[in-house]
Amino acid sequence: MSGADEPGTGRDGDAIVTTAWQLAEAEGLAAVTTRRLAERADVDLGALYQRFADRDAVVAAVAVRGFADLAAALTGARMSVDRPAGVWPAVMAAYLDFAYANPEVYDAMFAHTPELTLGAEQVPETVAATFGELRTALTPLAAGRDADILAELGWSLLHGMVMLTRGGRLRPETQDHREHLLSTDLFNPRPSSR
């Protein structure tokens, strides 16, 4: 996996990305326009276009930063646990906390930037780092199974739970039970009943 860096970095680029993140979370991704970003970040519109080709490039930079922050949260959760059995539940909780606390950025990461995928030729380091943390958390539970596939399934389940919960498609009163099942039972290998 190669590492494409966050576009538009530098003092003004960072300010633009930070402003876009804040604006998206406050008013939705649709509110993120180049004109509003230039005004709010206190940069000239021409300077914004020197760093970012268009609005989509800004959204992509927000998504890349979102993956960086998510990966850091997962790393922090993993490092905070001193027993192997607690790693997956801690990482899972950190993932869900990030997704629910940053819904618009989460949407930018997954719905508005299809090029930010593990299947792409140029996978940004932050996407690879997020996957790597999920893989690290689930590897002790692999028990001979493919750890990459297990991590893909774990990520799929987490993402599905986030999107279905946010969309009101799951029963709210069973959220804690779903999270408990996913964190403690679902990936634990069971003896064969043969």
Side-chain angles (χ1 to χ4, degrees):
M1 293 186 192
S2 70
D5 292 324
E6 183 177 327
T9 54
R11 190 178 66 77
D12 287 345
D14 288 341
I16 292 165
V17 172
T18 299
T19 301
W21 180 308
Q22 293 167 345
L23 186 58
E25 288 303 338
E27 300 180 33
L29 275 171
V32 178
T33 65
T34 53
R35 185 166 305 283
R36 287 191 74 195
L37 285 174
E39 290 170 5
R40 292 220 175 170
D42 197 27
V43 297
D44 182 69
L45 193 56
L48 186 144
Y49 281 117
Q50 286 179 341
R51 286 170 180 76
F52 300 97
D54 54 23
R55 176 195 180 275
D56 290 343
V58 175
V59 172
V62 169
V64 168
R65 184 174 295 170
F67 277 112
D69 286 5
L70 176 56
L74 301 182
T75 301
R78 177 176 53 82
M79 301 297 284
S80 72
V81 177
D82 58 359
R83 56 187 200 2
V87 172
W88 170 244
V91 166
M92 188 198 91
Y95 185 101
L96 295 174
D97 288 348
F98 177 89
Y100 294 135
N102 303 286
E104 294 293 324
V105 171
Y106 191 84
D107 284 350
M109 293 162 62
F110 291 99
H112 297 281
T113 50
E115 69 280 6
L116 299 181
T117 177
L118 287 171
E121 252 181 64
Q122 295 278 323
V123 179
E125 290 177 18
T126 58
V127 176
T130 298
F131 179 77
E133 283 299 329
L134 293 170
R135 185 185 192 284
T136 298
L138 284 166
T139 295
L141 305 175
R145 298 173 290 184
D146 185 299
D148 284 337
I149 292 174
L150 200 61
E152 289 170 348
L153 287 172
W155 199 347
S156 298
L157 289 167
L158 289 171
H159 180 69
M161 185 165 20
V162 167
M163 298 311 290
L164 291 169
T165 299
R166 283 180 46 200
R169 306 289 178 140
L170 302 176
R171 296 171 293 154
E173 68 274 9
T174 62
Q175 182 70 18
D176 289 342
H177 186 71
R178 279 192 302 276
E179 290 180 16
H180 176 76
L181 183 64
L182 181 56
S183 72
T184 60
D185 295 335
L186 204 54
F187 288 111
N188 285 325
R190 301 214 186 270
S192 175
S193 59
R194 291 183 211 170

